[in-house]
Amino acid sequence: MSSLDTLAPRVTRIVESTPVQDIHTHLYDPSFGSLLLWGIDDQLVYHYLVSEAFRQMDLPFDRFWSTSKTEQAEYVWNALFVEHSPVSEACRGVLTTLRALGLDPRRQDLGAIRRWYAEQRPEAFIDRVLQLANVERVFMTNSPFDDEERAFWKARPARDPRFEAALRIDPLLLSWPESAERLRRWGYAVGTEASEGTVSEVRRFLADWTRRIGSRYCMVSLPPTFRYPADTATTWLLERAVLPHCREFGQPFAMMMGVTRAVNPLLRMAGDGVGRSDLGALQTLCAAHPENRFLVTCLARENQHELVVLARKFRNLHPFGCWWFTNTPQLIEEITTLRLELLGTSFTPQHSDARVLDQLIYKWHHSREILADCLTRNYARLAGSGWEVSDDEIRRDVRELLGGGFHRFCGA
Ligand code: RAT
Ligand code: ZN
């Protein structure tokens, strides 16, 4: 048997056994109590599934939203798992997760699955999920503009070192001057215009929160209408407060580009859509701010090639993840292959975006499988050119892709 025949299992073994740093999630440190979601009902009311379920239900939106989480979970379960085959990526995810936990929804009904969950002790369950997903570190999304979350931070929780903080600032950049009002209420003497005083108070706000939560990077999601430079508050806030802040703290700025919020508000959190971004704005940012580092993911499939080409031009740009609507097997494969072929290993192929702890299991099982396939194909081509990779080299590459490259980019 040539080494090429064993290539796929070798790569798979290494990809599966290499721990990952999950660089963007919506999970919380367990010390935040109820903010860390887990269990079958939270998996079923995941907004990815809610939007799919509404396509199969006649139920009025209000009726759905007026019921309890348990009832909502039942609606979703019936619509997507009982009355139809659960072929979508988000549906299959629930099944992958349950199976990894030793549950069989073909034999156990929702009631039995709920009873199993009710017996789990949170601390042990968290350890088990992280171990099954082989996730070493989880980056949270921490917003000072979220009242519930802010209250937890004020209480100075004892932190779990496996959960890292990342500062989310969408309202600051996208809802100025309404956000100025909130900053004022919190004791920052900001006006609405770009005066010296306002800029320095915004920077004080960013610095305070970065220190308070131990944030590792700062991040925003941007609509397709985002332009830079432009005669907008977003531009001056970026240029005079956010980017200087990131430079001062030696941290990257993450931009998640291409989300149109509330395309259908009746769907609540499930109602956001996608639009093609103007990556000319990103090009200008990277060129105009060589001392800043930009972590970027794009929601539109149409932006993926351009993003990769830009990353070839600007080493202060690090593409990451297959975000949200691109987190489907076909698109992960396409985007990861494109990135490998144009960037080598200098990118971070995936983040989970998990909102429910248990989802780490399926998000990483599914993504690792595709990453292993993509790498195997590339290594096989290399072998065809006479370059056979060793296990050590595969290990080195996979470590780089699953968090090592991100850490270096962050300057850690
Ligand atoms: O993927 C998601 O769960 C979305 O709802 C968004 O939260 C997105 O990931 C974001 O961070 O804005
Ligand atoms: Zn997210």
Side-chain angles (χ1 to χ4, degrees), residues 127-144:
D127 292 348
R128 176 143 183 234
V129 169
L130 291 176
Q131 190 212 335
L132 284 169
N134 200 6
V135 170
E136 187 172 60
R137 279 221 165 8
V138 172
F139 284 74
M140 305 181 273
T141 296
N142 303 110
S143 173

Side-chain angles (χ1 to χ4, degrees), residues 24 26 47-48 168 221 256 261 323-324 353 355:
H24 170 65
H26 297 266
H47 69 88
Y48 291 26
R168 181 77 175 238
S221 71
M256 310 179 73
R261 297 290 175 189
W323 181 24
W324 202 345
D353 236 310
R355 283 180 180 269

Side-chain angles (χ1 to χ4, degrees), residues 17 22-23 37 59 140 157 165 177 216 219 260 288 307 317 324 348:
S17 61
D22 195 342
I23 71 170
L37 306 177
L59 196 70
M140 305 181 273
R216 301 290 300 275
M219 83 181 116
T260 310
L307 174 62
L317 169 58
W324 202 345
T348 297

Side-chain angles (χ1 to χ4, degrees), residues 174-187:
L174 303 175
S175 306
W176 193 270
E178 294 80 35
S179 43
E181 180 52 45
R182 301 190 72 187
L183 263 65
R184 273 196 293 277
R185 251 186 282 138
W186 298 331

Side-chain angles (χ1 to χ4, degrees), residues 17-31:
S17 61
T18 305
V20 68
Q21 314 263 330
D22 195 342
I23 71 170
H24 170 65
T25 76
H26 297 266
L27 301 176
Y28 287 92
D29 182 313
S31 62

Side-chain angles (χ1 to χ4, degrees), residues 42 74 78 94 129 132 146 162 166 183 192 205 243-244 252 270 278 372 386 406 412:
D42 277 305
E74 264 146 34
N78 287 330
V94 175
V129 169
L132 284 169
D146 180 312
R162 295 170 298 184
L183 263 65
T192 50
F205 166 75
L243 296 180
D278 169 20
F406 164 78

